Amino acid sequence: MSSINYTKKRIALIDCNSFYVSCERLFKPKIQNKPVVVLSNNDGCVISRSTEAKALGIRMGEPYFKVKQIIKKNKVYVFSSNYALYGDLSRRVMRVLKTFSPNVEIYSIDEAFIDLSFLDEENVENYGKAMRKKVLKWTGIPTSVGISFTKTLSKVASHIAKKDKTGVTYLNKNIDEKLKKFPIGDVWGIGKQLSKFYIKNGIENAYQLKQASNTWIKKSTNVLGSRTAMEMRGISCIGLETHEEKRKNCCVSRSFGKKVTELQKLEEAVATYCLNAAEKIRGDKQLCRRITVFIRTSPFNKNRKYYSNGKTIDLPIATSNSIELIKNAKKALNAIYKSGYHYQKVGIILSRLSDLDSNDNHLLTPLLEKKSKKLMEAIDHTNMKYGRHAISIANAGISKGWKMRREHSSKIDTASFDYLPKITAS
């Protein structure tokens, strides 16, 4: 295949290093350079590892009980997941990145693509270093920055940057040599099964994929596989999605820390989840016209009967009023609840979401709904100022013994003054 003339388009991928671990370390400086892991819901599996923890052989997705001995022996710091903290710090990182370019695609909670095509060639790498430095200074989160001519190549560059002392790689020279050392299974968009297929057909690295026939790739896989190969050749086929689409539904669900049998506790959980979901859609300036509640027991417990059910209620008026949503959620729950079962999980889904102003001229919009808007705004403002759930609803309960297991929670809340660093004079 003839050599490719790479375009002047430049895409950067900023990836937060071991993001959940970095968030926990931010408030506990003593665990810098120490082995750290973060666990999934109910402290089930390892979902984030520090470099030091990786070196001990702790694998991603490993069940916690399987690595307890390694953790104990090597004094690994363990944290339960704190998604409120991670979400807040993610938003801070993304806000900083938007100061470097108007075209930013928030790809995930810890990754973003940025269009740097406006830069002169000689300034690209230093610009990447400036981004990394500012994010670290303003948020405390370390990152790796990979820059190249397409999104897929920038992903490759980001992998390389993680092993570079500067944390920044501009993949613009000797690209083929780098691709020859890049395993096919690590290429963005190539999953486990597709990776096996490629290896079976003699394609073991990114360079070999780049050299493969487009016709064969499209015929053997699909158009997405063809795009990946084209991107490896420096031809941009996957554009930046800079417009953030509003959510089409909002789901909040959790597995319980211990099985629940009482209706009252299920109602508390449903009310709590309604509060969380309602706050989210209000933050997006949305209303919902439909609420679904679902419950289930454990499908793995052979000693007890399995039960799963759900109920959907269409609301007469679109709303984001927590009180109204809780009232309807309780109706739905009561319709599907059966006594005598040990429930493992409950959840709610808000759907048929619409923009806030879609209700303004609705003939049936009652005065109460308009008044409730001010009440909800007051609650949201208070909770933002004084900490999450400073004001709650009685239906959500107080002790919440059903909550998911978080035995290793750092309990860090960025909305609380109690977690500001303290300096003492000796």
Side-chain angles (χ1 to χ4, degrees), residues 297-310:
T297 60
S298 172
F300 305 108
N301 192 330
K302 305 300 180 184
N303 298 321
R304 292 188 177 127
K305 285 195 297 182
Y306 177 69
Y307 175 66
S308 174
N309 206 346

Side-chain angles (χ1 to χ4, degrees), residues 38 93-94 99 175 204-205 226 246 249 284 286 367 371 378 385 405 414:
V38 175
V93 169
M94 301 309 166
T99 66
I175 295 176
E204 298 182 354
N205 58 53
S226 176
K246 286 193 174 182
N249 57 62
D284 289 341
Q286 289 182 300
L367 181 63
K371 285 183 177 179
K385 187 174 182 179
R405 189 165 55 252
T414 49

Side-chain angles (χ1 to χ4, degrees), residues 103-359:
N103 298 319
V104 177
E105 176 189 338
I106 299 174
Y107 181 65
S108 68
I109 193 171
D110 61 349
E111 291 177 290
F113 290 103
I114 301 182
D115 188 354
L116 300 181
S117 302
F118 58 87
L119 291 173
D120 293 329
E121 178 71 15
E122 62 270 17
N123 297 328
V124 174
E125 191 166 344
N126 285 335
Y127 202 77
K129 290 177 181 178
M131 286 193 294
R132 186 174 186 269
K133 183 178 179 181
K134 188 173 181 179
V135 169
L136 183 62
K137 185 176 181 180
W138 285 26
T139 69
I141 301 298
T143 58
S144 298
V145 181
I147 309 168
S148 198
F149 306 106
T150 68
K151 289 173 80 172
T152 306
L153 282 174
S154 71
K155 272 277 193 177
V156 174
S158 176
H159 275 273
I160 298 170
K162 288 181 184 296
K163 299 174 183 177
D164 191 291
K165 288 182 180 179
T166 66
V168 178
T169 294
Y170 179 26
L171 190 58
N172 65 330
K173 297 175 183 176
N174 303 317
I175 295 176
D176 287 350
E177 293 306 310
K178 301 286 174 56
L179 295 183
K180 286 175 183 177
K181 298 175 183 177
F182 201 80
I184 191 68
D186 290 342
V187 174
W188 184 44
I190 295 180
K192 194 173 182 180
Q193 294 305 315
L194 187 54
S195 175
K196 287 180 180 178
F197 170 78
Y198 279 139
I199 292 171
K200 186 179 178 181
N201 285 274
I203 298 175
E204 298 182 354
N205 58 53
Y207 176 75
Q208 290 172 327
L209 177 64
K210 173 186 171 180
Q211 296 297 103
S213 161
N214 243 16
T215 305
W216 178 83
I217 294 173
K218 195 179 291 186
K219 184 179 178 181
S220 303
T221 60
N222 52 37
V223 69
L224 297 178
S226 176
R227 285 179 187 171
T228 300
M230 294 287 282
E231 290 243 326
M232 285 295 177
R233 297 170 194 143
I235 302 168
S236 182
C237 301
I238 308 171
L240 251 63
E241 298 177 12
T242 56
H243 178 67
E244 293 181 42
E245 292 286 339
K246 286 193 174 182
R247 66 178 89 225
K248 292 181 172 59
N249 57 62
C250 181
C251 176
V252 179
S253 68
R254 296 283 186 277
S255 293
F256 297 126
K258 56 184 179 182
K259 302 296 187 292
V260 172
T261 58
E262 301 168 37
L263 176 61
Q264 181 190 348
K265 290 182 179 179
L266 289 174
E267 287 180 337
E268 285 183 8
V270 164
T272 300
Y273 299 164
C274 279
L275 289 174
N276 293 344
E279 184 180 313
K280 287 179 181 180
I281 66 170
R282 286 197 297 269
D284 289 341
K285 293 181 168 48
Q286 289 182 300
L287 305 169
C288 94
R289 282 291 301 271
R290 177 177 290 166
I291 183 166
T292 301
V293 176
F294 59 90
I295 54 175
R296 70 168 172 82
T297 60
S298 172
F300 305 108
N301 192 330
K302 305 300 180 184
N303 298 321
R304 292 188 177 127
K305 285 195 297 182
Y306 177 69
Y307 175 66
S308 174
N309 206 346
K311 172 74 174 176
T312 297
I313 294 179
D314 286 316
L315 308 175
I317 302 294
T319 185
S320 62
N321 185 331
S322 300
I323 299 170
E324 192 66 26
L325 292 172
I326 289 172
K327 183 173 73 175
N328 283 280
K330 286 178 69 176
K331 281 183 188 176
L333 177 64
N334 277 268
I336 58 177
Y337 170 77
K338 286 185 178 181
S339 62
Y341 286 90
H342 292 71
Y343 294 98
Q344 183 191 43
K345 189 173 188 176
V346 67
I348 65 111
I349 303 171
L350 305 183
S351 54
R352 291 186 63 190
L353 301 183
S354 59
D355 290 335
L356 188 62
D357 57 7
S358 64
N359 237 19

